[in-house]
Structure formats: structure tokens, C-alpha cells
DNA sequence: ATCTATTTTTAGACTTATCTAAATATTAGT
DNA sequence: ACTAATATTTAGATAAGTCTAAAAATAGAT
């Protein structure tokens, strides 16, 4: 069975919205995410339910079926692999990436995506730190952690960020932090959860708001 | 203005069918190419005409407008650039390439395609010898060479002739060779410099006197 | 427990791209 | 030039995805 782009986008949206609340996803939440009307969502949910891609009961919200989840995860795999390609090989940066990957993720060829995966060296994380599931839909063990959770004393490395505003990016740049930058976590101050790190011999302070948006490696 | 995938495919089909007959393209030819019905084609032609992408008059066939041609050429650019990527970087071969490129060609991002072009080293021809137009829609000058100098094994095309006698012209006609005819150079016989070519499934012998008077494409 | 506000669904309509079947125009053969 | 064959267009229907407006269900406040 095959899905339209629209159906795939609904499945992906349901997947993402399900992550942070193990209740079913509400029609309105989905409508907002999809930038459409609640009535349109209801129509689509009926269609997806008929295809057994979601579990849907009137007024009760929706969850993904096994099949629906597989499809959603596969789209995420494609999206993230394309992001790696765009960022690491085509020199994309910032916002453009996401927009283009949104289109590329719907290209429908197992061969293509497996070869792309190989070309990229079987990456386990995208440049924003998002884990990339393998061709069977299995996510890698996360051996990354947000900087606000790392133990004091560790030597570590920037693996990704979870905030992509220009303001944040330029702030990081000024601090000397970018993807792959190695540094040492010296101290954490409990009263505001800010941290002190050392990179390239310089000591730098990072607020909690900065630290919580930085993924760092947690090697063993 | 923006086009749907379907509209883009129609424009591309009209472009391709226009290449081989400078009359307008017939509804039926288009229907066959698009694997659809003539009535559907008529509907679409009206739509494209309303958008000023084609010149269409009832029963008179269709041609591309300037705008329509730009779009068609841009799709061909994208298609061929993706083919280069798939073949040279992802290790694709043969038929799969075309199918996947058919999907990729509709991805809609100037930035993406310009960066891909750069990544690939601004190729002028795809791996099948198809010329790749630049970002302004300009095709590269086709390099020409006399058939007696072409390397054995090449797929090529008649680009011109240097002898214009009736005798020569009618000889070519009988052999099935005319301007634009595609063929494959199978073998060259050293003792008389004659060549063996294959066109439309037929194997044909050409003497050196014939071969030296035919310009063929040499898409390096 | 009831009434109100919110959420969700239904009903009916629109658009895009398609189809079949019937009508009309063009072309070719004599 | 006329008819037969072919090509093309029209008319009316269908399916996907969307919308607005109205009805129905659920949740919240007292």
C-alpha cells in the first residue's frame, strides 16, 4: 500500500505530537500542527483509520498503529539523512535545510535512501542531534546528553543543538561553540544552573537557557 | 506562480515531443506519453493555456510558451543533475536512476539545485550524454566531431554534414540517418576505416567516405 | 447535576486531475 | 467533394483533500 504526501505528513505529525504525551493526539492539536482546519483533520483520520494506519475513535483522539508508526519513523529517517546530506555536503545552513528536507523526505525509493545512508557513512545522528533510525526503524542508543545534564568534570564535544534561531546561533558563534567543538565542563552553579566550561584555553560561562539547548557527547 | 507535479510533467512531455517535429504536439501523442486519456489531456491543456504556459487552440495541437519552455528546461536541468548525482556519487546504475530522478526533478528549491550543481562540479552533460542547461536555461554548446574520429562504443547523434550533394543526401536517407538521428558506434575496421553503427535496432555499415562527412555530437 | 464553553464531527460544497461515453472536427481515400 | 476513419473535445462522474457553517459530544465551573 502507498501513501500520498499528505497522508505521510499527517502520520509524521501524529508521531511527533505523540512523543510528549502518551494520550492520543487531539484533532485540534493536529489541525494546528498541519495548519489546517479541524474538520479536514477528522476527514483524514477516517481515511487513515480505514487504511489501518491509525487507531481512531470519534472524540477520543488518535494514535498510530504499528504500520503507521513504521511509516512515520521511515519518513523521519529520510528527513534526517537528507539533512545530513544538505548540511555536510551541500553547505546548507540554518532554516533552508528543514524546508528542503520536508520535500525530499517524501521521495519514495528504498534503494535511494539506503545508498544515501551508505554515502553519508551511516550517520547515527543528524546535525541537530536528532537520532536517525536504521532501515528497520530502530533508533540508535542515545549516547548524547543535553549539556545541562552532563556531569561536572567531563571532557566532551558539541553534537547538536535544539534551538536554531539566528540569535542563538550567533551567540554560540561568538562563544566559539560550533558543531564538533571540544570542551571541558568545569563547574555548575546550582542557584541558576549556569555552567562554566573551558575551550581552547578560555573559560566561558553559559546560562541554563544556553546549556539546555546543546547536545553533547557522553562517551561511555 | 507555481505548478503541480502533474502540470510540470505535461510541460516536460510537450517539450520532449516538440523536439522531433516543429509542428504543435497532438493531444493523442501527449496522451500516450503521459499514459492517460485524450480527454484528460484536453482538460490539462486548457488549464495550462489559462496559465499562459502553452499556446493552445482547439484541434490545432499545442506548443510551449516562453514561460512554459523555461519551466520545462528547468525540470530537465534538475533531472539531469540528479542523475549525475545518483550515478556518480550513489553508485546507481541503469534503469533505477531514471525512475528516482523523475521524482527528484520536482523538488522545488533553487538553492538546492544550485548547490547540487556546484557539488557535482558544474557538469555539462549527464552520464547518458544529455546536455545540462545552466541556471538560466542555456544549453551547453554541443561539442562536435567527425564520425571518423569518434571513439568506438559511443552513443551519439547526427549533428550535421559537410557534403550536400543529392547523392550523399539520398544515401543517408536510405541508411536511415538524418539530422538528430541517435545511434551507437559499434566498431571501426582499420583496413578501410569503415564503421559499423547500430540505429533503431538495425546494424549498418558506413564507408570512410561517408563517415568523414558526418558531424556527430561528442558529449565529453 | 446542570449549564456553558470548547472540541469534534457532520453535511454540503469546491478544486484538481482523472475517467467514460457521446458529440464534433479534421484528415484521407476514392 | 464526399464519406469513412481518426482525432479531439465536451459533458457528466468520481476520488482526494480541503473548506465553512451547523450539529453533536465532551469537559469545566458552579
Amino acid at each position: 500500500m502507498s501513501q500520498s504526501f499528505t497522508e505521510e505528513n499527517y502520520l509524521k505529525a501524529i508521531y511527533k505530537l505523540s512523543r510528549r504525551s502518551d494520550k492520543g493526539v487531539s484533532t485540534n492539536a493536529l489541525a494546528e500542527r498541519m495548519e489546517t482546519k479541524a474538520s479536514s483533520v477528522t476527514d483524514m483520520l477516517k481515511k487513515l483509520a480505514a487504511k489501518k494506519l491509525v487507531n481512531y475513535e470519534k472524540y477520543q483522539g488518535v494514535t498510530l498503529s504499528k504500520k503507521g508508526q513504521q511509516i512515520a519513523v521511515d519518513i523521519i529517517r529520510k528527513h534526517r539523512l537528507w539533512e545530513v546530506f544538505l548540511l555536510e555536503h551541500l553547505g546548507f545552513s540554518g532554516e533552508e535545510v528543514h524546508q528542503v528536507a520536508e520535500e525530499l523526505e517524501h521521495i519514495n525509493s528504498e534503494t535511494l535512501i539506503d545508498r544515501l545512508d551508505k554515502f553519508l557513512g551511516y550517520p547515527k545522528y543528524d546535525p541537530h542531534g536528532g537520532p536517525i533510525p536504521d532501515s528497520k526503524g530502530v533508533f540508535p542508543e542515545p549516547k548524547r546528553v543535553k549539556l545541562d545534564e552532563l556531569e561536572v568534570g567531563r571532557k566532551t564535544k558539541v553534537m547538536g543543538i535544539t534551538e536554531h534561531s539566528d540569535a542563538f546561533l550567533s551567540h554560540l558563534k561568538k562563544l566559539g561553540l560550533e558543531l564538533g567543538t571540544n570542551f571541558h565542563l568545569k563547574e555548575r552553579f546550582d542557584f541558576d544552573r549556569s555552567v562554566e566550561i573551558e575551550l581552547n584555553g578560555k573559560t566561558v560561562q553559559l546560562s541554563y537557557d544556553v546549556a539546555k539547548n546543546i547536545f553533547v557527547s557522553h562517551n561511555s
Side-chain angles (χ1 to χ4, degrees), chain A residues 74-103:
Chain A
D74 195 52
I75 294 165
I76 288 164
R77 168 173 160 77
K78 291 190 270 183
H79 184 100
R80 292 187 175 160
L81 285 173
W82 280 117
E83 281 200 341
V84 172
F85 175 68
L86 296 174
L87 283 151
E88 293 191 354
H89 294 272
L90 295 195
F92 269 76
S93 68
E95 262 319 294
E96 325 170 83
V97 171
H98 192 69
Q99 181 56 33
V100 175
E102 286 290 307
E103 297 199 43

PDB file of all heavy atoms in Angstrom, chain A residues 74-103:
ATOM      1  N   ASP A  74      10.035   5.873   9.213  1.00  0.00           N
ATOM      2  CA  ASP A  74      10.777   5.842   7.957  1.00  0.00           C
ATOM      3  C   ASP A  74      10.888   7.239   7.355  1.00  0.00           C
ATOM      4  O   ASP A  74      11.913   7.596   6.767  1.00  0.00           O
ATOM      5  CB  ASP A  74      10.090   4.889   6.977  1.00  0.00           C
ATOM      6  CG  ASP A  74      11.003   4.537   5.823  1.00  0.00           C
ATOM      7  OD1 ASP A  74      12.150   4.119   6.104  1.00  0.00           O
ATOM      8  OD2 ASP A  74      10.595   4.701   4.658  1.00  0.00           O
ATOM      9  N   ILE A  75       9.846   8.041   7.508  1.00  0.00           N
ATOM     10  CA  ILE A  75       9.906   9.411   6.989  1.00  0.00           C
ATOM     11  C   ILE A  75      10.935  10.212   7.775  1.00  0.00           C
ATOM     12  O   ILE A  75      11.696  11.001   7.211  1.00  0.00           O
ATOM     13  CB  ILE A  75       8.524  10.074   7.062  1.00  0.00           C
ATOM     14  CG1 ILE A  75       7.564   9.352   6.118  1.00  0.00           C
ATOM     15  CG2 ILE A  75       8.624  11.544   6.673  1.00  0.00           C
ATOM     16  CD1 ILE A  75       6.120   9.694   6.376  1.00  0.00           C
ATOM     17  N   ILE A  76      10.964   9.987   9.078  1.00  0.00           N
ATOM     18  CA  ILE A  76      11.949  10.690   9.904  1.00  0.00           C
ATOM     19  C   ILE A  76      13.360  10.278   9.509  1.00  0.00           C
ATOM     20  O   ILE A  76      14.266  11.110   9.413  1.00  0.00           O
ATOM     21  CB  ILE A  76      11.677  10.421  11.396  1.00  0.00           C
ATOM     22  CG1 ILE A  76      10.414  11.193  11.806  1.00  0.00           C
ATOM     23  CG2 ILE A  76      12.875  10.803  12.255  1.00  0.00           C
ATOM     24  CD1 ILE A  76       9.814  10.753  13.098  1.00  0.00           C
ATOM     25  N   ARG A  77      13.543   8.995   9.256  1.00  0.00           N
ATOM     26  CA  ARG A  77      14.850   8.521   8.768  1.00  0.00           C
ATOM     27  C   ARG A  77      15.254   9.271   7.497  1.00  0.00           C
ATOM     28  O   ARG A  77      16.361   9.800   7.397  1.00  0.00           O
ATOM     29  CB  ARG A  77      14.756   7.018   8.477  1.00  0.00           C
ATOM     30  CG  ARG A  77      15.928   6.421   7.709  1.00  0.00           C
ATOM     31  CD  ARG A  77      15.783   4.892   7.645  1.00  0.00           C
ATOM     32  NE  ARG A  77      16.561   4.286   6.578  1.00  0.00           N
ATOM     33  CZ  ARG A  77      17.877   4.090   6.623  1.00  0.00           C
ATOM     34  NH1 ARG A  77      18.558   4.476   7.703  1.00  0.00           N
ATOM     35  NH2 ARG A  77      18.504   3.529   5.620  1.00  0.00           N
ATOM     36  N   LYS A  78      14.329   9.344   6.562  1.00  0.00           N
ATOM     37  CA  LYS A  78      14.648  10.012   5.307  1.00  0.00           C
ATOM     38  C   LYS A  78      14.943  11.489   5.521  1.00  0.00           C
ATOM     39  O   LYS A  78      15.917  12.022   4.995  1.00  0.00           O
ATOM     40  CB  LYS A  78      13.484   9.819   4.314  1.00  0.00           C
ATOM     41  CG  LYS A  78      13.358   8.378   3.837  1.00  0.00           C
ATOM     42  CD  LYS A  78      12.386   8.239   2.682  1.00  0.00           C
ATOM     43  CE  LYS A  78      10.983   7.975   3.169  1.00  0.00           C
ATOM     44  NZ  LYS A  78      10.021   7.764   2.061  1.00  0.00           N
ATOM     45  N   HIS A  79      14.096  12.110   6.318  1.00  0.00           N
ATOM     46  CA  HIS A  79      14.282  13.538   6.585  1.00  0.00           C
ATOM     47  C   HIS A  79      15.676  13.814   7.146  1.00  0.00           C
ATOM     48  O   HIS A  79      16.401  14.690   6.677  1.00  0.00           O
ATOM     49  CB  HIS A  79      13.215  14.013   7.574  1.00  0.00           C
ATOM     50  CG  HIS A  79      13.238  15.480   7.853  1.00  0.00           C
ATOM     51  ND1 HIS A  79      12.383  16.363   7.268  1.00  0.00           N
ATOM     52  CD2 HIS A  79      14.058  16.214   8.646  1.00  0.00           C
ATOM     53  CE1 HIS A  79      12.653  17.581   7.687  1.00  0.00           C
ATOM     54  NE2 HIS A  79      13.669  17.526   8.542  1.00  0.00           N
ATOM     55  N   ARG A  80      16.064  13.036   8.130  1.00  0.00           N
ATOM     56  CA  ARG A  80      17.330  13.314   8.810  1.00  0.00           C
ATOM     57  C   ARG A  80      18.535  12.972   7.942  1.00  0.00           C
ATOM     58  O   ARG A  80      19.559  13.659   7.986  1.00  0.00           O
ATOM     59  CB  ARG A  80      17.364  12.585  10.146  1.00  0.00           C
ATOM     60  CG  ARG A  80      16.328  13.197  11.080  1.00  0.00           C
ATOM     61  CD  ARG A  80      16.360  12.687  12.497  1.00  0.00           C
ATOM     62  NE  ARG A  80      15.385  13.481  13.274  1.00  0.00           N
ATOM     63  CZ  ARG A  80      14.856  13.112  14.425  1.00  0.00           C
ATOM     64  NH1 ARG A  80      15.211  11.957  14.981  1.00  0.00           N
ATOM     65  NH2 ARG A  80      13.996  13.890  15.045  1.00  0.00           N
ATOM     66  N   LEU A  81      18.409  11.912   7.161  1.00  0.00           N
ATOM     67  CA  LEU A  81      19.524  11.592   6.261  1.00  0.00           C
ATOM     68  C   LEU A  81      19.705  12.709   5.234  1.00  0.00           C
ATOM     69  O   LEU A  81      20.833  13.132   4.951  1.00  0.00           O
ATOM     70  CB  LEU A  81      19.278  10.250   5.562  1.00  0.00           C
ATOM     71  CG  LEU A  81      19.485   9.013   6.433  1.00  0.00           C
ATOM     72  CD1 LEU A  81      19.061   7.747   5.692  1.00  0.00           C
ATOM     73  CD2 LEU A  81      20.949   8.890   6.885  1.00  0.00           C
ATOM     74  N   TRP A  82      18.602  13.196   4.697  1.00  0.00           N
ATOM     75  CA  TRP A  82      18.720  14.310   3.746  1.00  0.00           C
ATOM     76  C   TRP A  82      19.311  15.540   4.423  1.00  0.00           C
ATOM     77  O   TRP A  82      20.121  16.261   3.819  1.00  0.00           O
ATOM     78  CB  TRP A  82      17.364  14.638   3.119  1.00  0.00           C
ATOM     79  CG  TRP A  82      16.978  13.712   2.002  1.00  0.00           C
ATOM     80  CD1 TRP A  82      15.914  12.863   1.968  1.00  0.00           C
ATOM     81  CD2 TRP A  82      17.665  13.530   0.747  1.00  0.00           C
ATOM     82  NE1 TRP A  82      15.893  12.171   0.779  1.00  0.00           N
ATOM     83  CE2 TRP A  82      16.946  12.562   0.008  1.00  0.00           C
ATOM     84  CE3 TRP A  82      18.805  14.107   0.174  1.00  0.00           C
ATOM     85  CZ2 TRP A  82      17.330  12.136  -1.266  1.00  0.00           C
ATOM     86  CZ3 TRP A  82      19.195  13.686  -1.094  1.00  0.00           C
ATOM     87  CH2 TRP A  82      18.463  12.714  -1.803  1.00  0.00           C
ATOM     88  N   GLU A  83      18.942  15.767   5.674  1.00  0.00           N
ATOM     89  CA  GLU A  83      19.515  16.923   6.370  1.00  0.00           C
ATOM     90  C   GLU A  83      21.032  16.789   6.494  1.00  0.00           C
ATOM     91  O   GLU A  83      21.763  17.762   6.320  1.00  0.00           O
ATOM     92  CB  GLU A  83      18.894  17.087   7.759  1.00  0.00           C
ATOM     93  CG  GLU A  83      17.523  17.729   7.718  1.00  0.00           C
ATOM     94  CD  GLU A  83      17.114  18.320   9.064  1.00  0.00           C
ATOM     95  OE1 GLU A  83      17.711  17.934  10.097  1.00  0.00           O
ATOM     96  OE2 GLU A  83      16.203  19.161   9.079  1.00  0.00           O
ATOM     97  N   VAL A  84      21.483  15.595   6.802  1.00  0.00           N
ATOM     98  CA  VAL A  84      22.927  15.380   6.886  1.00  0.00           C
ATOM     99  C   VAL A  84      23.568  15.708   5.537  1.00  0.00           C
ATOM    100  O   VAL A  84      24.576  16.413   5.463  1.00  0.00           O
ATOM    101  CB  VAL A  84      23.264  13.920   7.279  1.00  0.00           C
ATOM    102  CG1 VAL A  84      24.768  13.667   7.171  1.00  0.00           C
ATOM    103  CG2 VAL A  84      22.781  13.619   8.692  1.00  0.00           C
ATOM    104  N   PHE A  85      22.956  15.219   4.488  1.00  0.00           N
ATOM    105  CA  PHE A  85      23.493  15.486   3.148  1.00  0.00           C
ATOM    106  C   PHE A  85      23.536  16.983   2.852  1.00  0.00           C
ATOM    107  O   PHE A  85      24.565  17.517   2.422  1.00  0.00           O
ATOM    108  CB  PHE A  85      22.665  14.757   2.094  1.00  0.00           C
ATOM    109  CG  PHE A  85      23.071  15.066   0.687  1.00  0.00           C
ATOM    110  CD1 PHE A  85      24.304  14.650   0.194  1.00  0.00           C
ATOM    111  CD2 PHE A  85      22.231  15.783  -0.151  1.00  0.00           C
ATOM    112  CE1 PHE A  85      24.700  14.940  -1.097  1.00  0.00           C
ATOM    113  CE2 PHE A  85      22.619  16.085  -1.454  1.00  0.00           C
ATOM    114  CZ  PHE A  85      23.850  15.666  -1.934  1.00  0.00           C
ATOM    115  N   LEU A  86      22.422  17.646   3.104  1.00  0.00           N
ATOM    116  CA  LEU A  86      22.342  19.071   2.775  1.00  0.00           C
ATOM    117  C   LEU A  86      23.356  19.889   3.570  1.00  0.00           C
ATOM    118  O   LEU A  86      24.004  20.784   3.030  1.00  0.00           O
ATOM    119  CB  LEU A  86      20.926  19.593   3.050  1.00  0.00           C
ATOM    120  CG  LEU A  86      19.817  18.989   2.189  1.00  0.00           C
ATOM    121  CD1 LEU A  86      18.449  19.467   2.662  1.00  0.00           C
ATOM    122  CD2 LEU A  86      20.018  19.348   0.718  1.00  0.00           C
ATOM    123  N   LEU A  87      23.509  19.570   4.832  1.00  0.00           N
ATOM    124  CA  LEU A  87      24.377  20.350   5.691  1.00  0.00           C
ATOM    125  C   LEU A  87      25.851  20.006   5.482  1.00  0.00           C
ATOM    126  O   LEU A  87      26.700  20.884   5.409  1.00  0.00           O
ATOM    127  CB  LEU A  87      23.984  20.157   7.155  1.00  0.00           C
ATOM    128  CG  LEU A  87      22.727  20.935   7.557  1.00  0.00           C
ATOM    129  CD1 LEU A  87      21.975  20.248   8.672  1.00  0.00           C
ATOM    130  CD2 LEU A  87      23.104  22.355   7.984  1.00  0.00           C
ATOM    131  N   GLU A  88      26.133  18.714   5.392  1.00  0.00           N
ATOM    132  CA  GLU A  88      27.548  18.332   5.335  1.00  0.00           C
ATOM    133  C   GLU A  88      28.128  18.347   3.929  1.00  0.00           C
ATOM    134  O   GLU A  88      29.326  18.506   3.753  1.00  0.00           O
ATOM    135  CB  GLU A  88      27.735  16.931   5.936  1.00  0.00           C
ATOM    136  CG  GLU A  88      27.453  16.911   7.428  1.00  0.00           C
ATOM    137  CD  GLU A  88      27.892  15.611   8.080  1.00  0.00           C
ATOM    138  OE1 GLU A  88      28.308  14.679   7.356  1.00  0.00           O
ATOM    139  OE2 GLU A  88      27.814  15.539   9.320  1.00  0.00           O
ATOM    140  N   HIS A  89      27.291  18.132   2.929  1.00  0.00           N
ATOM    141  CA  HIS A  89      27.839  18.019   1.578  1.00  0.00           C
ATOM    142  C   HIS A  89      27.463  19.173   0.664  1.00  0.00           C
ATOM    143  O   HIS A  89      28.206  19.506  -0.243  1.00  0.00           O
ATOM    144  CB  HIS A  89      27.434  16.682   0.958  1.00  0.00           C
ATOM    145  CG  HIS A  89      28.046  15.511   1.650  1.00  0.00           C
ATOM    146  ND1 HIS A  89      29.282  15.010   1.311  1.00  0.00           N
ATOM    147  CD2 HIS A  89      27.617  14.774   2.707  1.00  0.00           C
ATOM    148  CE1 HIS A  89      29.575  13.998   2.110  1.00  0.00           C
ATOM    149  NE2 HIS A  89      28.590  13.826   2.970  1.00  0.00           N
ATOM    150  N   LEU A  90      26.310  19.761   0.876  1.00  0.00           N
ATOM    151  CA  LEU A  90      25.932  20.883   0.004  1.00  0.00           C
ATOM    152  C   LEU A  90      26.129  22.245   0.674  1.00  0.00           C
ATOM    153  O   LEU A  90      25.879  23.274   0.051  1.00  0.00           O
ATOM    154  CB  LEU A  90      24.482  20.741  -0.460  1.00  0.00           C
ATOM    155  CG  LEU A  90      24.167  19.546  -1.358  1.00  0.00           C
ATOM    156  CD1 LEU A  90      22.813  19.743  -2.030  1.00  0.00           C
ATOM    157  CD2 LEU A  90      25.231  19.316  -2.414  1.00  0.00           C
ATOM    158  N   GLY A  91      26.588  22.238   1.919  1.00  0.00           N
ATOM    159  CA  GLY A  91      26.877  23.512   2.566  1.00  0.00           C
ATOM    160  C   GLY A  91      25.658  24.335   2.934  1.00  0.00           C
ATOM    161  O   GLY A  91      25.734  25.547   3.046  1.00  0.00           O
ATOM    162  N   PHE A  92      24.529  23.680   3.123  1.00  0.00           N
ATOM    163  CA  PHE A  92      23.352  24.403   3.593  1.00  0.00           C
ATOM    164  C   PHE A  92      23.565  24.827   5.038  1.00  0.00           C
ATOM    165  O   PHE A  92      24.421  24.292   5.736  1.00  0.00           O
ATOM    166  CB  PHE A  92      22.125  23.494   3.553  1.00  0.00           C
ATOM    167  CG  PHE A  92      21.363  23.551   2.263  1.00  0.00           C
ATOM    168  CD1 PHE A  92      21.848  22.914   1.131  1.00  0.00           C
ATOM    169  CD2 PHE A  92      20.165  24.227   2.174  1.00  0.00           C
ATOM    170  CE1 PHE A  92      21.142  22.951  -0.055  1.00  0.00           C
ATOM    171  CE2 PHE A  92      19.453  24.271   0.996  1.00  0.00           C
ATOM    172  CZ  PHE A  92      19.941  23.630  -0.128  1.00  0.00           C
ATOM    173  N   SER A  93      22.752  25.792   5.476  1.00  0.00           N
ATOM    174  CA  SER A  93      22.820  26.185   6.880  1.00  0.00           C
ATOM    175  C   SER A  93      21.450  26.640   7.321  1.00  0.00           C
ATOM    176  O   SER A  93      20.632  27.084   6.527  1.00  0.00           O
ATOM    177  CB  SER A  93      23.814  27.309   7.051  1.00  0.00           C
ATOM    178  OG  SER A  93      23.308  28.466   6.419  1.00  0.00           O
ATOM    179  N   GLY A  94      21.209  26.498   8.622  1.00  0.00           N
ATOM    180  CA  GLY A  94      20.021  27.071   9.248  1.00  0.00           C
ATOM    181  C   GLY A  94      18.699  26.580   8.709  1.00  0.00           C
ATOM    182  O   GLY A  94      18.466  25.385   8.634  1.00  0.00           O
ATOM    183  N   GLU A  95      17.836  27.523   8.369  1.00  0.00           N
ATOM    184  CA  GLU A  95      16.433  27.224   8.122  1.00  0.00           C
ATOM    185  C   GLU A  95      16.145  26.533   6.793  1.00  0.00           C
ATOM    186  O   GLU A  95      15.255  25.722   6.695  1.00  0.00           O
ATOM    187  CB  GLU A  95      15.592  28.499   8.208  1.00  0.00           C
ATOM    188  CG  GLU A  95      14.900  28.679   9.547  1.00  0.00           C
ATOM    189  CD  GLU A  95      14.304  27.388  10.114  1.00  0.00           C
ATOM    190  OE1 GLU A  95      13.363  26.853   9.521  1.00  0.00           O
ATOM    191  OE2 GLU A  95      14.793  26.918  11.157  1.00  0.00           O
ATOM    192  N   GLU A  96      16.903  26.902   5.768  1.00  0.00           N
ATOM    193  CA  GLU A  96      16.614  26.368   4.435  1.00  0.00           C
ATOM    194  C   GLU A  96      16.563  24.851   4.462  1.00  0.00           C
ATOM    195  O   GLU A  96      15.767  24.233   3.762  1.00  0.00           O
ATOM    196  CB  GLU A  96      17.704  26.760   3.437  1.00  0.00           C
ATOM    197  CG  GLU A  96      18.325  28.121   3.641  1.00  0.00           C
ATOM    198  CD  GLU A  96      19.551  28.311   2.745  1.00  0.00           C
ATOM    199  OE1 GLU A  96      19.358  28.673   1.580  1.00  0.00           O
ATOM    200  OE2 GLU A  96      20.701  28.088   3.221  1.00  0.00           O
ATOM    201  N   VAL A  97      17.466  24.280   5.239  1.00  0.00           N
ATOM    202  CA  VAL A  97      17.592  22.834   5.306  1.00  0.00           C
ATOM    203  C   VAL A  97      16.265  22.151   5.564  1.00  0.00           C
ATOM    204  O   VAL A  97      15.887  21.224   4.867  1.00  0.00           O
ATOM    205  CB  VAL A  97      18.536  22.423   6.442  1.00  0.00           C
ATOM    206  CG1 VAL A  97      18.498  20.928   6.653  1.00  0.00           C
ATOM    207  CG2 VAL A  97      19.918  22.881   6.128  1.00  0.00           C
ATOM    208  N   HIS A  98      15.592  22.642   6.577  1.00  0.00           N
ATOM    209  CA  HIS A  98      14.390  21.961   7.006  1.00  0.00           C
ATOM    210  C   HIS A  98      13.358  21.954   5.887  1.00  0.00           C
ATOM    211  O   HIS A  98      12.768  20.931   5.559  1.00  0.00           O
ATOM    212  CB  HIS A  98      13.821  22.628   8.254  1.00  0.00           C
ATOM    213  CG  HIS A  98      12.752  21.811   8.897  1.00  0.00           C
ATOM    214  ND1 HIS A  98      13.009  20.622   9.530  1.00  0.00           N
ATOM    215  CD2 HIS A  98      11.416  21.988   8.966  1.00  0.00           C
ATOM    216  CE1 HIS A  98      11.877  20.110   9.971  1.00  0.00           C
ATOM    217  NE2 HIS A  98      10.895  20.924   9.634  1.00  0.00           N
ATOM    218  N   GLN A  99      13.148  23.100   5.311  1.00  0.00           N
ATOM    219  CA  GLN A  99      12.170  23.253   4.237  1.00  0.00           C
ATOM    220  C   GLN A  99      12.416  22.252   3.095  1.00  0.00           C
ATOM    221  O   GLN A  99      11.516  21.570   2.636  1.00  0.00           O
ATOM    222  CB  GLN A  99      12.251  24.698   3.703  1.00  0.00           C
ATOM    223  CG  GLN A  99      11.277  25.014   2.600  1.00  0.00           C
ATOM    224  CD  GLN A  99       9.845  24.743   3.023  1.00  0.00           C
ATOM    225  OE1 GLN A  99       9.492  24.917   4.188  1.00  0.00           O
ATOM    226  NE2 GLN A  99       9.033  24.290   2.076  1.00  0.00           N
ATOM    227  N   VAL A 100      13.682  22.196   2.671  1.00  0.00           N
ATOM    228  CA  VAL A 100      14.014  21.304   1.557  1.00  0.00           C
ATOM    229  C   VAL A 100      13.877  19.842   1.976  1.00  0.00           C
ATOM    230  O   VAL A 100      13.330  19.023   1.232  1.00  0.00           O
ATOM    231  CB  VAL A 100      15.445  21.593   1.054  1.00  0.00           C
ATOM    232  CG1 VAL A 100      15.842  20.589  -0.008  1.00  0.00           C
ATOM    233  CG2 VAL A 100      15.525  23.006   0.493  1.00  0.00           C
ATOM    234  N   ALA A 101      14.325  19.522   3.182  1.00  0.00           N
ATOM    235  CA  ALA A 101      14.213  18.138   3.653  1.00  0.00           C
ATOM    236  C   ALA A 101      12.755  17.707   3.767  1.00  0.00           C
ATOM    237  O   ALA A 101      12.429  16.538   3.569  1.00  0.00           O
ATOM    238  CB  ALA A 101      14.927  17.974   4.992  1.00  0.00           C
ATOM    239  N   GLU A 102      11.874  18.657   4.058  1.00  0.00           N
ATOM    240  CA  GLU A 102      10.442  18.356   4.110  1.00  0.00           C
ATOM    241  C   GLU A 102       9.944  17.816   2.771  1.00  0.00           C
ATOM    242  O   GLU A 102       9.007  17.036   2.726  1.00  0.00           O
ATOM    243  CB  GLU A 102       9.625  19.626   4.426  1.00  0.00           C
ATOM    244  CG  GLU A 102       9.691  20.102   5.848  1.00  0.00           C
ATOM    245  CD  GLU A 102       8.979  19.197   6.829  1.00  0.00           C
ATOM    246  OE1 GLU A 102       7.809  18.883   6.613  1.00  0.00           O
ATOM    247  OE2 GLU A 102       9.617  18.794   7.814  1.00  0.00           O
ATOM    248  N   GLU A 103      10.546  18.307   1.704  1.00  0.00           N
ATOM    249  CA  GLU A 103      10.140  17.802   0.394  1.00  0.00           C
ATOM    250  C   GLU A 103      10.838  16.482   0.074  1.00  0.00           C
ATOM    251  O   GLU A 103      10.222  15.534  -0.399  1.00  0.00           O
ATOM    252  CB  GLU A 103      10.455  18.825  -0.697  1.00  0.00           C
ATOM    253  CG  GLU A 103       9.688  20.130  -0.543  1.00  0.00           C
ATOM    254  CD  GLU A 103       9.654  20.923  -1.846  1.00  0.00           C
ATOM    255  OE1 GLU A 103       9.440  20.337  -2.907  1.00  0.00           O
ATOM    256  OE2 GLU A 103       9.873  22.155  -1.775  1.00  0.00           O
TER     257      GLU A 103
END
